[in-house]
């Protein structure tokens, strides 16, 4: 079972020139807005086919059509040389098309073994045979070279491990075409490399991998073939070697996207935000920083390290064990949301789904959610709301097809802009931003960087938590590196190169 | 990540739509159109079956009967939209009728009986709110417990007997203003006020925000604790009002008045009206239609002289059908 697993799923074994999926002239629109226009592409066994495009370019719609969740309005899909009309998720799965979505779909309270075998638990007269469950699950993981104890609870695994378990489950169920939607989003460098290694093993075993990612470096490194979508149409589809980074960005954005450090006036001498001796359990210990007005200070660390605790502690959601906070020279008690807001500190979460936006409420209402409360408004009129939200929408370039849909229907990049607008539109005295470009495309990223530059130029003290060295190099004036909950280094951004910075994060010298 | 399925924009649709071969429900662009359709069907059926249904007397009677329930359902809509739940409102109604009836029976002035019993009801609501907010026990569990407890307290206050208030409250219970029953006037005012609060006040929008995502609401500067306490207190106060309304209509309080069965009907009406059990969504219009539908069904069964055993069966069936229809409707969107 173990060694033959990958051979068996390909049927023939080894890469073949035959496409396993052919998409032909597919068009799909929703309520008059075309999401896909005449899209054609081939997916081959034993190849990694990257699907790139900006937020809203049609990647998700294409994935939904491949996986049977939507049917095309025009055009068709061929799977294994047969035209598939009326593809349903169940049929697609039977044909070996599996999707590993961006959000993990594991039962977090069950073990890895049970998750892998879910829906197909080995049993004798309906009594589960736990030994076989563990054995078969272990075989499924071993077959893909994954070493995770099948007895662990899924919820205790790291995100990367959860992704791998999900991939193993899909392969065990007979997935011949695996669609991976941004499998390395929110992962640190090591974890992302583990995932990429797994993708390469899948490919070498003959699986067709459809790989969706915003990371251009990553795609150029891993993909055999790249298809770029823009505004619902294919603008380029070809072998990876023919495409360079610049061309890829131009294809995706439709223009050259430049995101370079602007010249900013020196920060003022006044300290806008000061944190002293912030400590909470083992996750963060003795953190301190002084951010002057008009300065951007970044806190950089491996994903999930001390910088990711700052949101909870500074916003007042959690009370730290020790520490002091000063905003604009005035002390602010920690552990109280209302006191933190009252001081003029605005904390923007990196987790917009669970801590940032209310998906069922409209864009406008989300934009003004905080502003109206801070202003102590009592009455609420939707016409007035639209009028007051309009400038925010313009300034932050929030784009939506419908007039004012629930914010949950927007693309990730637009949701992120709504989140930033919601907080930065409240005239902050100081600002804490957590991964502000999490899961957004290059153009939206450039927009958001420009917005943050502008914020600093207005004299706001900006503290930025990030796990991306590029972003830090682009935005920050100063960087603090954290690891294992402690501060390990502090540098002026002009005195360090990107590579030195990455080395420090990965465990270089103490300075 | 991508545009997913953008909202259907109604009249502004211009692009040709591809033919969809699948069978689908009639397009429900009008909010609550399914519910309205169901109500029309029941009314039509009833008018064919019995002449006495479509008479002014009977219709006004139906409206009088559902008034108290409508007041509870209004409070519950607001509370459930904020992600809360109160199973004890019917029991608070019962306790209110008992307290007021005993006070009146013991020769206390009517205004005092009303003030005291409604204050008791408000406090009971607040107690629910305090327990829910500060212990973080699921509101379902807390209020089911208080409901059971209060049903017992109710019997203790009545000492198991019926207590009559004579004609003391008949102006409210039987009187009319310009031909409209006073009970109905009160219910309409409460429903309209609730709808206004939900739509046009920041407090109402706070309820949507808290129900939609409590963490985000708190981080956005909404005082979630205070809002919840007010909502539970309001649920108690409205239960008190409903208690006075019920007492005035029945002219007395007796074991079996209100209690958990009344509450279940109110929950059914709210759910039929499309308010989400998870919070974040709810409308007073839907709730009103739900209350009317259940009231009309009960009335029709009465007129057709069908055994009261079938009453529960019909409420259950209506709830099930409406809940399934809501779910299908939401999924299509």
């Amino acid at each position: 079972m173990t060694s033959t697993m990958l051979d068996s799923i390909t049927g023939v074994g080894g890469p073949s020139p035959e496409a396993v999926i052919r998409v032909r002239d597919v068009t799909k629109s929703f309520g008059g807005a075309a999401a896909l226009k005449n899209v054609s592409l081939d997916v081959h066994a034993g190849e990694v086919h990257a699907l790139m495009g900006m937020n809203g370019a049609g990647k998700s719609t294409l994935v939904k059509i491949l996986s049977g969740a939507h049917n095309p309005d025009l055009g068709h899909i061929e799977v294994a040389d047969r035209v598939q009309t009326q593809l349903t998720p169940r049929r697609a799965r039977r044909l070996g098309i599996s999707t590993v979505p961006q959000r993990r779909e594991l039962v977090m309270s069950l073990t890895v073994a049970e998750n892998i075998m879910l829906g197909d638990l080995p049993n004798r007269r309906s009594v589960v045979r736990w030994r076989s469950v563990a054995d078969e699950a272990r075989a499924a993981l071993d077959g893909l070279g994954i070493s995770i104890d099948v007895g662990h609870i899924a919820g205790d695994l790291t995100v990367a491990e959860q992704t791998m378990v999900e991939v193993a489950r899909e392969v065990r169920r007979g997935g011949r075409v695996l669609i991976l939607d941004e499998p390395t989003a929110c992962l640190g460098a090591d974890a992302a490399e583990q995932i990429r290694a797994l993708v390469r093993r899948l490919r070498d075993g003959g699986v067709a991998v459809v790989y969706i990612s915003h990371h251009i470096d990553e795609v150029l490194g891993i993909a055999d073939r790249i298809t770029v979508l823009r505004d619902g149409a294919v603008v380029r589809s070809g072998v990876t070697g023919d495409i360079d980074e610049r061309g890829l960005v131009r294809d995706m954005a439709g223009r050259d996207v430049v995101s370079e450090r602007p010249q900013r006036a020196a920060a003022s001498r006044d300290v806008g935000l000061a944190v002293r001796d912030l400590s909470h359990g083992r996750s963060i210990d003795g953190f301190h920083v002084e951010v002057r007005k008009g300065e951007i200070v970044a806190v950089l660390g491996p994903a999930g390290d001390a910088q990711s605790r700052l949101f909870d502690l500074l916003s007042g959601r959690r009370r730290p064990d020790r520490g002091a906070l000063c905003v604009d020279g005035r002390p602010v008690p920690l552990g109280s949301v209302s006191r933190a807001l009252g001081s003029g500190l605005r904390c923007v979460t990196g987790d917009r789904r669970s801590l940032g936006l209310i998906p069922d409420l409209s864009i406008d209402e989300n934009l003004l959610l905080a502003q109206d409360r801070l202003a102590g408004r009592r009455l609420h009129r939707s016409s007035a709301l639209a009028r007051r939200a309009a400038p925010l929408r313009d300034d932050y370039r929030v784009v939506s097809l419908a007039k004012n849909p629930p914010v949950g229907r927007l693309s990730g990049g637009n949701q992120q802009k709504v989140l930033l607008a919601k907080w930065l539109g409240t005239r902050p005295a100081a600002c804490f931003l957590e991964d502000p470009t999490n899961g957004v495309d290059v153009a939206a990223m450039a927009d958001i960087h420009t917005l943050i530059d502008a914020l600093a130029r207005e004299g706001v003290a900006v503290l930025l938590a990030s796990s991306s060295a590029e972003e830090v190099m682009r935005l920050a004036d100063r960087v603090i590196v954290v690891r294992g909950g402690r501060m390990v280094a502090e540098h002026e951004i002009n005195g360090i190169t990107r590579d030195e910075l990455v080395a420090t994060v990965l465990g270089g010298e103490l300075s | 990540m991508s545009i997913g399925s953008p909202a259907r924009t109604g009249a502004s649709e211009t692009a040709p739509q591809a033919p969809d071969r699948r069978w689908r429900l009639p397009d429900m662009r009008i909010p609550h159109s399914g519910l309205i359709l169901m109500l029309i069907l029941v009314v039509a059926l009833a008018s064919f079956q019995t002449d006495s249904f479509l008479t002014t007397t009977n219709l006004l009677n139906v409206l009088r009967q559902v008034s108290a329930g409508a007041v509870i359902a209004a409070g519950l809509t607001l509370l459930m939209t904020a992600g809360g739940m109160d199973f004890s409102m019917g029991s608070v109604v019962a306790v209110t009728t008992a307290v007021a009836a005993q006070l009146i029976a013991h020769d206390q002035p009517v205004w005092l009986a009303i003030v005291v019993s409604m204050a008791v009801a408000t406090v009971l609501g607040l107690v629910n709110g305090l327990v829910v907010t500060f212990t973080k026990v699921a509101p379902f569990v807390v209020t089911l417990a208080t409901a059971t407890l209060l049903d017992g307290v109710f019997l203790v206050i009545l000492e198991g007997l019926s207590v009559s208030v004579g004609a003391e409250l008949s102006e409210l219970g039987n009187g009319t203003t310009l031909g409209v029953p006073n009970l109905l006037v009160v219910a309409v005012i409460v429903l309209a006020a609730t709808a206004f609060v939900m739509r046009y006040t920041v407090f109402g929008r706070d309820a949507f925000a808290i129900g939609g995502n409590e963490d985000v609401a708190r981080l956005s500067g909404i005082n979630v604790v205070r809002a919840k306490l007010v909502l539970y207190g309001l649920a108690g106060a409205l239960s008190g009002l409903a208690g006075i309304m019920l007492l005035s209509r029945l002219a007395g309080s007796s074991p079996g008045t209100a209690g958990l069965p009344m509450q279940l009907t109110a929950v059914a009406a709210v759910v039929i009206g499309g308010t989400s059990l998870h919070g974040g969504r709810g409308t007073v219009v839907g709730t009103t239609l739900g209350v009317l539908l259940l009231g009309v069904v009960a009335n029709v069964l009465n007129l057709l002289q069908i055994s009261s055993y079938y009453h529960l069966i019909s409420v259950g069936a209506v709830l099930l059908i409406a809940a399934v229809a809501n779910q299908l409707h939401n999924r299509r969107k």
Side-chain angles (χ1 to χ4, degrees):
Chain A
M1 177 85 199
T2 315
S3 58
T4 59
M5 168 152 278
L6 284 173
D7 301 332
S8 64
I9 54 181
T10 58
V12 279
S16 71
E18 283 299 297
V20 274
I21 300 185
R22 291 197 186 89
V23 177
R24 287 290 172 269
D25 303 322
V26 162
T27 295
K28 176 80 185 174
S29 43
F30 296 100
L36 289 178
K37 301 168 202 157
N38 273 322
V39 169
S40 298
L41 61 95
D42 289 350
V43 179
H44 298 271
E47 267 191 11
V48 177
H49 193 140
L51 211 50
M52 300 199 76
M54 318 261 283
N55 300 120
K59 302 186 301 291
S60 299
T61 311
L62 183 56
V63 167
K64 281 182 182 149
I65 284 179
L66 289 177
S67 60
H70 289 327
N71 276 315
D73 295 341
L74 297 169
H76 67 263
I77 301 178
E78 291 170 30
V79 182
D81 292 329
R82 288 184 54 188
V83 175
Q84 301 291 332
T85 55
Q86 302 291 304
L87 200 62
T88 61
R90 188 185 290 255
R91 260 189 81 76
R93 175 156 272 171
R94 236 189 355 249
L95 290 164
I97 305 172
S98 306
T99 313
V100 177
Q102 219 174 90
R103 306 182 73 187
R104 299 282 66 85
E105 285 187 346
L106 295 174
V107 184
M108 293 303 174
S109 56
L110 297 183
T111 61
V112 169
E114 244 182 308
N115 268 295
I116 291 175
M117 303 302 292
L118 213 59
D120 185 26
L121 283 177
N123 59 73
R124 186 182 293 135
R125 292 207 199 94
S126 298
V127 178
V128 175
R129 294 162 58 213
W130 288 109
R131 190 182 295 263
S132 306
V133 172
D135 289 347
E136 287 190 36
R138 204 172 292 121
L141 290 175
D142 289 347
L144 295 174
I146 304 169
S147 54
I148 296 173
D149 186 343
V150 295
H152 278 314
I153 300 295
D156 296 343
L157 300 179
T158 65
V159 177
E161 287 173 329
Q162 290 172 356
T163 307
M164 293 193 237
V165 168
E166 227 171 296
V167 168
R169 179 180 66 187
E170 296 306 327
V171 170
R172 204 200 77 86
R173 284 179 180 174
R176 295 184 301 146
V177 179
L178 270 186
I179 303 169
L180 304 178
D181 193 354
E182 293 202 52
T184 56
C186 313
L187 292 186
D190 286 354
E193 188 45 48
Q194 285 175 14
I195 298 287
R196 285 192 289 269
L198 175 61
V199 168
R200 289 192 191 98
R201 284 198 295 277
L202 286 168
R203 174 190 61 192
D204 297 342
V207 176
V209 180
V210 176
Y211 196 91
I212 299 174
S213 172
H214 280 306
H215 299 295
I216 291 166
D217 298 350
E218 175 176 275
V219 166
L220 288 172
I222 198 169
D224 301 302
R225 206 176 282 270
I226 299 179
T227 295
V228 180
L229 289 173
R230 186 171 76 227
D231 298 330
V234 174
V235 288
R236 181 197 284 266
S237 189
V239 185
T240 303
D242 303 344
I243 309 176
D244 68 344
E245 184 175 335
R246 218 181 135 77
L248 206 50
V249 171
R250 201 183 311 116
D251 283 341
M252 285 197 289
R255 58 185 160 96
D256 282 311
V257 175
V258 197
S259 184
E260 279 173 358
R261 278 185 76 81
Q263 285 299 315
R264 265 204 314 272
S268 86
R269 291 181 167 280
D270 301 344
V271 173
L273 174 68
V275 179
R276 288 188 199 96
D277 192 27
L278 190 68
S279 306
H280 191 67
R282 261 182 293 174
S283 60
I284 183 164
D285 187 17
F287 180 83
H288 61 88
V289 65
E290 287 193 348
V291 187
R292 289 175 295 159
K293 291 179 177 173
E295 189 184 27
I296 303 179
V297 177
V299 186
L300 178 67
D305 212 306
Q307 83 277 9
S308 60
R309 309 288 165 202
L310 287 173
F311 176 79
D312 276 0
L313 300 178
L314 294 180
S315 69
R317 276 191 89 216
R318 289 242 174 101
R319 193 186 302 276
D321 298 339
R322 273 181 292 135
L325 171 67
C326 273
V327 176
D328 221 354
R330 284 186 299 272
V332 180
L334 286 157
S336 155
V337 173
S338 58
R339 303 293 280 276
L341 286 174
S343 72
L345 175 64
R346 300 290 175 258
C347 297
V348 185
T349 176
D351 183 359
R352 60 177 174 263
R353 273 183 215 277
S354 45
L355 297 176
L357 300 171
I358 299 179
D360 278 344
L361 293 186
S362 68
I363 297 179
D364 290 347
E365 200 161 352
N366 268 291
L367 281 171
L368 294 170
L369 194 64
Q371 199 171 320
D372 280 2
R373 270 55 180 195
L374 293 169
R377 274 176 184 275
R378 294 261 168 263
L379 288 181
H380 166 104
R381 287 201 355 254
S382 51
S383 55
L385 199 68
R387 199 172 56 243
R388 287 185 294 126
L392 280 175
R393 282 195 190 211
D394 290 348
D395 292 352
Y396 291 81
R397 299 199 206 166
V398 178
V399 183
S400 73
L401 292 170
K403 203 167 135 225
N404 191 18
V407 82
R409 294 217 196 121
L410 292 182
S411 65
N414 274 310
Q415 287 190 14
Q416 190 66 27
K417 290 182 199 168
V418 171
L419 177 63
L420 286 165
K422 166 186 166 182
W423 286 116
L424 306 187
T426 59
R427 312 210 137 270
C431 212
F432 170 74
L433 303 172
E434 184 185 21
D435 278 331
T437 55
N438 180 4
V440 309
D441 62 56
V442 274
M445 191 181 285
D447 283 352
I448 289 172
H449 287 164
T450 311
L451 288 168
I452 297 171
D453 289 330
L455 193 66
R457 204 173 295 123
E458 285 164 21
V460 177
V462 180
L463 185 63
L464 173 79
S466 183
S467 41
S468 151
E470 283 76 15
E471 183 156 278
V472 169
M473 296 300 294
R474 161 69 182 77
L475 283 174
D477 299 307
R478 199 147 49 93
V479 56
I480 294 170
V481 178
V482 289
R483 195 165 62 241
R486 292 168 167 277
M487 299 168 65
V488 293
E490 181 167 349
H491 295 284
E492 292 295 326
I493 214 74
N494 296 329
I496 191 169
T497 65
R498 178 194 168 278
D499 294 345
E500 286 165 356
L501 189 56
V502 171
T504 319
V505 175
L506 292 177
E509 83 293 358
L510 269 136
S511 67
Chain B
M1 277 319 302
S2 175
I3 49 175
S5 51
R8 294 184 158 259
T9 45
S12 67
E13 275 174 39
T14 46
Q17 291 264 310
D20 196 331
R21 285 177 291 272
R22 272 174 304 175
W23 177 85
R24 45 168 57 192
L25 291 162
D27 209 348
M28 296 187 231
R29 293 258 170 78
I30 310 166
H32 312 297
S33 54
L35 204 47
I36 294 169
L37 197 73
M38 220 159 138
L39 193 56
I40 291 172
L41 277 177
V42 174
V43 168
L45 204 71
S47 333
F48 279 120
Q49 293 290 323
T50 161
D51 293 335
S52 46
F53 178 75
L54 266 185
T55 59
T56 317
T57 328
N58 182 56
L59 290 181
L60 284 180
N61 201 26
V62 174
L63 294 173
R64 274 181 65 226
Q65 277 168 3
V66 298
S67 294
V71 169
I72 304 188
L76 192 60
T77 306
L78 192 50
L79 183 60
M80 281 173 64
T81 300
M85 176 45 107
D86 190 347
F87 272 112
S88 72
M89 295 175 82
S91 309
V92 175
V93 170
V95 170
T96 310
T97 62
V99 170
Q102 285 290 25
L103 285 172
I104 292 171
H106 285 82
D107 296 327
Q108 299 295 327
V110 171
W111 67 265
L112 185 71
I114 292 177
V115 168
V116 169
S117 59
M118 282 190 59
V120 167
T122 310
V123 169
L124 291 175
L126 274 175
V127 169
N128 274 333
L130 286 168
V131 176
V132 166
T133 322
F134 290 107
T135 65
K136 303 215 178 351
V137 177
F140 176 92
V141 178
V142 171
T143 58
L144 198 58
T146 48
T148 315
L149 194 149
L150 291 174
D151 278 354
V153 170
F154 168 61
L155 294 176
V156 171
I157 297 173
L158 287 181
E159 294 166 330
L161 303 169
S162 294
V163 178
S164 168
V165 296
E168 295 284 356
L169 285 164
S170 67
E171 181 53 32
L172 174 63
N174 300 315
T176 60
T177 305
L178 304 171
V180 182
N182 287 337
L183 285 175
L184 180 59
V185 172
V186 175
V188 168
I189 289 172
V190 169
L191 286 168
T194 311
F196 177 83
V197 167
M198 286 177 75
R199 186 155 190 147
Y200 294 107
T201 69
V202 169
F203 174 70
R205 302 317 294 179
D206 286 355
F208 280 91
I210 294 169
N213 187 332
E214 196 174 320
D215 284 317
V216 177
R218 184 176 299 114
L219 289 168
S220 301
I222 294 172
N223 191 334
V224 174
V225 171
R226 190 178 67 194
K228 281 187 166 181
L229 286 179
V230 172
L231 285 165
Y232 278 98
L234 194 64
L238 287 175
S239 307
L241 179 59
I244 300 298
M245 292 164 74
L246 195 64
L247 184 64
S248 73
R249 183 162 68 82
L250 302 175
S253 176
S254 56
T257 305
L260 207 46
M262 181 182 195
Q263 180 60 30
L264 292 182
T265 313
V267 173
V270 174
V271 172
I272 288 170
T275 297
S276 166
L277 280 167
H278 308 292
R281 255 179 253 171
T283 63
V284 172
V285 176
T287 297
T288 310
L289 288 168
V291 167
L292 286 178
L293 182 62
L294 290 178
V296 168
V297 168
N299 177 254
V300 171
L301 294 175
N302 237 337
L303 292 180
L304 295 177
Q305 295 182 325
I306 293 171
S307 153
S308 64
Y309 305 150
Y310 289 92
H311 187 104
L312 283 174
I313 295 179
S314 65
V315 172
V318 170
L319 176 58
L320 197 59
I321 294 169
V324 170
N326 278 339
Q327 188 59 36
L328 291 176
H329 189 173
N330 288 341
R331 201 184 304 161
R332 270 160 33 82
K333 278 203 294 195

